[in-house]
C-alpha cells in the first residue's frame, strides 16, 4: 500500500485505547488555554475572502486509492484554532499536513500570498464518498468548529449538526464548548464500506476520546463511542447533542412576513421510550428562551427530524429545506435515568441554529469521574413506519373559537393532523377519541374527525390558558382503548403568537 502523500514525520503507535489513556492522563492536568501562532495571511481573512478558498480535489488524501477521500478545511475567518490530522495505517499514526498548494485562492484573494503557506494545522476536514452515484465523490461528513460535525444520507442536503459533547447549555453559568483537537483517521482500503475516525476532545471541564465508525448509505450510520473524563464538577452535561434551526411553520407563521410556507431544518423532536411508546414534539421558535425536559429511563432513541418532505410546503428552490436530513440517536447500552433536554432559542434569522437536544444523565458529573456512552447516529430522510402508530403530519395554531361569531376572549386553537396506515382504513363514523392533557390551561372544546380529501384525522383543541406561564399540551388518538397514534406534545406561551 502506497504511503499517504501528505503524511509527515515518524509513525507512532496508535489505538483507541492508547488515545483513551492519553486523554485520561490529560484530565488529571490543569487546563491551559491553547495559544496558536496564526499566520498573518490567515488571521486577516474576512468572511468573503475565506469563502473564496477551495480545496483542490486532485490533492485529496487517498484520492484514487480508496472509495473514501479526505479534504481539509482552510483556517481563517472564524476558524483560527487549528486541529491536527493524522492518518492511521496498520496501527501506526502519522501527521497529515496540507499547504497553500493544496488550495485554490480565488478573487478577491491574491494567490501569490499563499503559495508558500505552511499551516500549523487545519480548520477541520471532510470525507467524500460516491453516495449518490458511483462516479461522483459526494461530500459525506464534515468535522468543523469546536466539536461540531454533520453528515448526509443519500439524496439529502446539509442541515442540522451534531456535537461531541454539550456542557452547561442554557444554564446561568454560561455554555462551554469543548473542541476536538486531534483527529486520527484510519486509512481505508479499496473495498472499504466504512471508515473510522478517532478524535481527542479537550476543554476546561473535560477531556475525551471519541470513535466514529461511519457507514454511508440511504441513511448514513455512525457508531459512536464516547469516553469522557471530568476535570471539574459539571452542572449539566449533554450526551449525543444535536443542533438545528426552526424559524417558522404552520404553527407560528403569522409572526413572519415571508413568501415561503415554512423555514426549518427540523420540525420536531422524536422520542422512542423504553416501552415502545413514541412521542412527537413539534418545534417552536418562542418569544423567550424555552427549556423542556422529558424524563426517561433507558430510552430507545431520540432525535430531531425533518418530517415534512414536500417542496410545495417550503417553496425555497435554493435552500431545499425539504431535503434536509433527520438525525436519530440510539443508545447501544442502558443509559439509566435521565432526561432528554430540548432547548428552543428565539431567533428572527434562519442563519441561526436555535434548537438543541441532548441526553442529560440524572446523576450530576463530578470531578475525577470517567464515563462511557455508546450510541448510533443515523442521518438521512429516515423512514418512519405508520403501521402501528399514526404520525403527526402538521400542526396549525390560531385564534380560538368559531369563525363568524363572537368568542370568548383569549382562546387559542390548535389543529393537529395525524396520518398513517392504521388510520386510513377507518370510516368517518369509527369510534376514535382523543386523549388530551393540558397544564396551565383549560380545554374549552375538542373534536376529532376524518378529513375526507386525504384520509387523515384531525384533532382540534380550543384552549384557554391560565396565567402567563407556558402551556404544555399532549394528546393521542385511541380506538376502543387501543392507542392508534404517537403522542403529540407541544409547549406554547401566550406571547408566541405575537412575535415581531
Amino acid at each position: 500500500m502506497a504511503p499517504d502523500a501528505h503524511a509527515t514525520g515518524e509513525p507512532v503507535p496508535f489505538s483507541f485505547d492508547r488515545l483513551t489513556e492519553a486523554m485520561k492522563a490529560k484530565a488529571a492536568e490543569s487546563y491551559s488555554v491553547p495559544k496558536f501562532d496564526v499566520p498573518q495571511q490567515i488571521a486577516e481573512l474576512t468572511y468573503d475572502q475565506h469563502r473564496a478558498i477551495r480545496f483542490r480535489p486532485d490533492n485529496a488524501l487517498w484520492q484514487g486509492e480508496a472509495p473514501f477521500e479526505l479534504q481539509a478545511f482552510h483556517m481563517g475567518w472564524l476558524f483560527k484554532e487549528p486541529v491536527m490530522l493524522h492518518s492511521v495505517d496498520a496501527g501506526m499514526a502519522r501527521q497529515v499536513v496540507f499547504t497553500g498548494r493544496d488550495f485554490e485562492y480565488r478573487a478577491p484573494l491574491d494567490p501569490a500570498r499563499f503559495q508558500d503557506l505552511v499551516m500549523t494545522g487545519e480548520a477541520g476536514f471532510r470525507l467524500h464518498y460516491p453516495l449518490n452515484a458511483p462516479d461522483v465523490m459526494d461530500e459525506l461528513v464534515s468535522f468543523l468548529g469546536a466539536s461540531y460535525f454533520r453528515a448526509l444520507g443519500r439524496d439529502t442536503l446539509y442541515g442540522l449538526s451534531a456535537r461531541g459533547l454539550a456542557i452547561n447549555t442554557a444554564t446561568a453559568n454560561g455554555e462551554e464548548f469543548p473542541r476536538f483537537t486531534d483527529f486520527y483517521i484510519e486509512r481505508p482500503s479499496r473495498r472499504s464500506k466504512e471508515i473510522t475516525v478517532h478524535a481527542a476532545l479537550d476543554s476546561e471541564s473535560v477531556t475525551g476520546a471519541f470513535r466514529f465508525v461511519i457507514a454511508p448509505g440511504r441513511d448514513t450510520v455512525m457508531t459512536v463511542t464516547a469516553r469522557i473524563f471530568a476535570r471539574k464538577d459539571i452542572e449539566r452535561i449533554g450526551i449525543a447533542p444535536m443542533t438545528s434551526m426552526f424559524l417558522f411553520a404552520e404553527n407560528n407563521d403569522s409572526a413572519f412576513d415571508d413568501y415561503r410556507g415554512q423555514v426549518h431544518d427540523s420540525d420536531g423532536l422524536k422520542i422512542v421510550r423504553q416501552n415502545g411508546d413514541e412521542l412527537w414534539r413539534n418545534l417552536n421558535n418562542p418569544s423567550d428562551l424555552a427549556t423542556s425536559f422529558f424524563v426517561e429511563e433507558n430510552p430507545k432513541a431520540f432525535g430531531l427530524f425533518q418530517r415534512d418532505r414536500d417542496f410545495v410546503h417550503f417553496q425555497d428552490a435554493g435552500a431545499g429545506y425539504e431535503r434536509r436530513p433527520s438525525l436519530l440517536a440510539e443508545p447501544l447500552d442502558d443509559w439509566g435515568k435521565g432526561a432528554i433536554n430540548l432547548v428552543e432559542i428565539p431567533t428572527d434569522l434562519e442563519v441561526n441554529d436555535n434548537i438543541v437536544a441532548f441526553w442529560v444523565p440524572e446523576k450530576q458529573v463530578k470531578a475525577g469521574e470517567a464515563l462511557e456512552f455508546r450510541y448510533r447516529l443515523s442521518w438521512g430522510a429516515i423512514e418512519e413506519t405508520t403501521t402501528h402508530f399514526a404520525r403527526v403530519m402538521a400542526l396549525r395554531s390560531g385564534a380560538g373559537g368559531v369563525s363568524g361569531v363572537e368568542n370568548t376572549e383569549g382562546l387559542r386553537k390548535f389543529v393537529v393532523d395525524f396520518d398513517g396506515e392504521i388510520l386510513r382504513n377507518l370510516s368517518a363514523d369509527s369510534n376514535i377519541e382523543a386523549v388530551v392533557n393540558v397544564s396551565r390551561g383549560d380545554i374549552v372544546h375538542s373534536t376529532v374527525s376524518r378529513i375526507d380529501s386525504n384520509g387523515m384525522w384531525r384533532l382540534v383543541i380550543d384552549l384557554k390558558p391560565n396565567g402567563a406561564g407556558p402551556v404544555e399540551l399532549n394528546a393521542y388518538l385511541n380506538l376502543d382503548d387501543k392507542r392508534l397514534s404517537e403522542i403529540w406534545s407541544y409547549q406554547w406561551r401566550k406571547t408566541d403568537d405575537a412575535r415581531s
Side-chain angles (χ1 to χ4, degrees):
M1 184 174 289
D4 295 330
H6 294 85
T8 64
E10 291 297 319
V12 297
F14 176 84
S15 70
F16 186 47
D17 287 340
R18 284 178 180 268
L19 178 61
T20 299
E21 289 303 313
M23 301 317 294
K24 180 180 180 180
K26 191 168 187 176
E29 303 170 358
S30 298
Y31 178 71
S32 58
V33 178
K35 297 180 180 179
F36 305 110
D37 184 16
V38 181
Q40 184 180 14
Q41 303 102 305
I42 294 174
E44 298 175 350
L45 290 177
T46 65
Y47 169 74
D48 288 331
Q49 290 172 329
H50 190 253
R51 288 190 63 192
I53 302 174
R54 295 288 186 273
F55 190 89
R56 298 182 184 276
D58 288 344
N59 292 352
L61 196 64
W62 312 310
Q63 197 269 336
E65 301 174 8
F68 295 89
E69 296 178 357
L70 184 150
Q71 299 184 14
F73 287 113
H74 200 287
M75 291 175 59
W77 184 48
L78 297 178
F79 309 105
K80 298 177 182 179
E81 299 177 339
V83 300
M84 304 303 169
L85 305 181
H86 308 263
S87 175
V88 179
D89 192 4
M92 304 296 288
R94 299 178 69 193
Q95 186 175 352
V96 175
V97 175
F98 294 92
T99 71
R101 299 183 184 278
D102 294 306
F103 295 88
E104 179 183 357
Y105 299 89
R106 302 176 180 178
L109 295 172
D110 177 8
R113 293 190 65 216
F114 299 89
Q115 289 306 302
D116 296 325
L117 174 66
V118 177
M119 290 180 283
T120 55
E122 289 69 45
F125 70 98
R126 59 187 177 221
L127 294 171
H128 290 242
Y129 179 86
L131 184 65
N132 297 295
D135 57 344
V136 178
M137 296 298 288
D138 300 299
E139 189 169 341
L140 173 71
V141 58
S142 71
F143 290 83
L144 178 64
S147 68
Y148 283 89
F149 59 96
R150 56 184 184 170
L152 294 170
R154 193 167 296 133
D155 197 33
T156 58
L157 304 173
Y158 273 144
L160 80 173
S161 301
R163 282 188 275 170
L165 204 62
I167 296 180
N168 295 336
T169 304
T171 65
N173 290 334
E175 186 164 8
E176 178 181 324
F177 291 90
R179 61 183 296 266
F180 289 135
T181 59
D182 295 80
F183 290 95
Y184 300 84
I185 306 100
E186 295 190 14
R187 180 189 177 107
S189 69
R190 288 190 178 276
R191 297 184 179 181
S192 293
K193 296 186 181 300
E194 61 184 31
I195 189 167
T196 300
V197 174
H198 308 266
L201 179 137
D202 193 20
S203 77
E204 182 179 353
S205 298
V206 298
T207 66
F210 283 71
R211 178 173 58 200
F212 305 87
V213 181
I214 305 167
R218 187 190 68 178
D219 297 334
T220 290
V221 177
M222 296 180 174
T223 303
V224 184
T225 301
R227 295 173 177 173
I228 301 160
F229 305 96
R231 278 191 170 112
K232 299 169 56 176
D233 294 351
I234 301 173
E235 179 183 355
R236 184 182 301 164
I237 192 168
I239 307 301
M242 50 192 75
T243 302
S244 192
M245 181 275 294
F246 179 90
L247 192 66
F248 67 87
E250 299 103 325
N251 56 312
N252 70 327
D253 58 356
S254 61
F256 295 88
D257 185 14
D258 199 303
Y259 77 92
R260 297 168 296 180
Q262 302 183 46
V263 176
H264 51 73
D265 288 334
S266 307
D267 53 8
L269 168 68
K270 178 187 179 75
I271 297 174
V272 183
R273 291 175 166 157
Q274 184 184 31
N275 64 2
D277 284 349
E278 299 190 15
L279 181 146
W280 176 260
R281 165 65 180 272
N282 284 95
L283 298 177
N284 194 16
N285 179 2
S287 302
D288 301 297
L289 176 69
T291 303
S292 302
F293 292 89
F294 300 86
V295 177
E296 303 289 340
E297 182 172 359
N298 294 323
K300 289 186 176 181
F302 70 93
L304 294 173
F305 271 55
Q306 185 75 314
R307 189 171 274 182
D308 196 328
R309 296 289 173 189
D310 191 340
F311 167 78
V312 173
H313 297 163
F314 294 92
Q315 291 293 336
D316 193 322
Y321 286 116
E322 72 281 359
R323 295 177 60 194
R324 303 298 170 102
S326 299
L327 174 56
L328 185 69
E330 300 171 88
L332 298 177
D333 302 304
D334 288 344
W335 284 8
K337 295 181 179 180
I340 295 158
N341 188 187
L342 174 66
V343 180
E344 297 166 303
I345 304 167
T347 185
D348 293 321
L349 300 173
E350 62 199 271
V351 296
N352 296 328
D353 283 345
N354 64 320
I355 304 295
V356 189
F358 48 83
W359 170 257
V360 182
E362 181 183 58
K363 183 183 176 184
Q364 191 174 26
V365 177
K366 299 295 184 181
E369 288 187 342
L371 308 105
E372 179 171 319
F373 294 89
R374 297 192 315 123
Y375 52 95
R376 181 185 302 115
L377 296 177
S378 298
W379 307 74
I382 301 172
E383 293 185 5
E384 299 176 274
T385 177
T386 60
T387 303
H388 304 294
F389 289 125
R391 306 293 177 188
V392 176
M393 301 310 298
L395 167 66
R396 298 173 177 86
S397 177
V402 180
S403 300
V405 301
E406 186 174 349
N407 293 286
T408 303
E409 186 177 352
L411 290 185
R412 192 70 185 168
K413 187 183 296 293
F414 298 92
V415 179
V416 189
D417 289 347
F418 294 86
D419 190 22
E421 299 170 47
I422 198 169
L423 290 179
R424 286 187 174 272
N425 295 325
L426 298 176
S427 62
D429 59 358
S430 298
N431 189 31
I432 292 183
E433 63 175 7
V435 179
V436 183
N437 297 289
V438 175
S439 69
R440 299 188 186 92
D442 297 318
I443 301 172
V444 176
H445 179 71
S446 71
T447 61
V448 60
S449 59
R450 188 177 190 273
I451 305 173
D452 291 336
S453 61
N454 58 21
M456 294 186 188
W457 285 74
R458 172 166 290 180
L459 169 63
V460 180
I461 303 169
D462 279 323
L463 171 94
K464 184 172 179 57
N466 295 332
V471 178
E472 295 281 354
L473 303 97
N474 66 71
Y476 57 88
L477 303 184
N478 262 2
L479 177 61
D480 299 329
D481 293 327
K482 178 183 178 182
R483 184 175 298 171
L484 300 184
S485 73
E486 63 189 357
I487 301 169
W488 167 72
S489 173
Y490 193 59
Q491 184 185 87
W492 175 79
R493 289 169 165 82
K494 290 179 67 174
T495 54
D496 284 351
D497 57 315
R499 296 183 78 254
S500 60

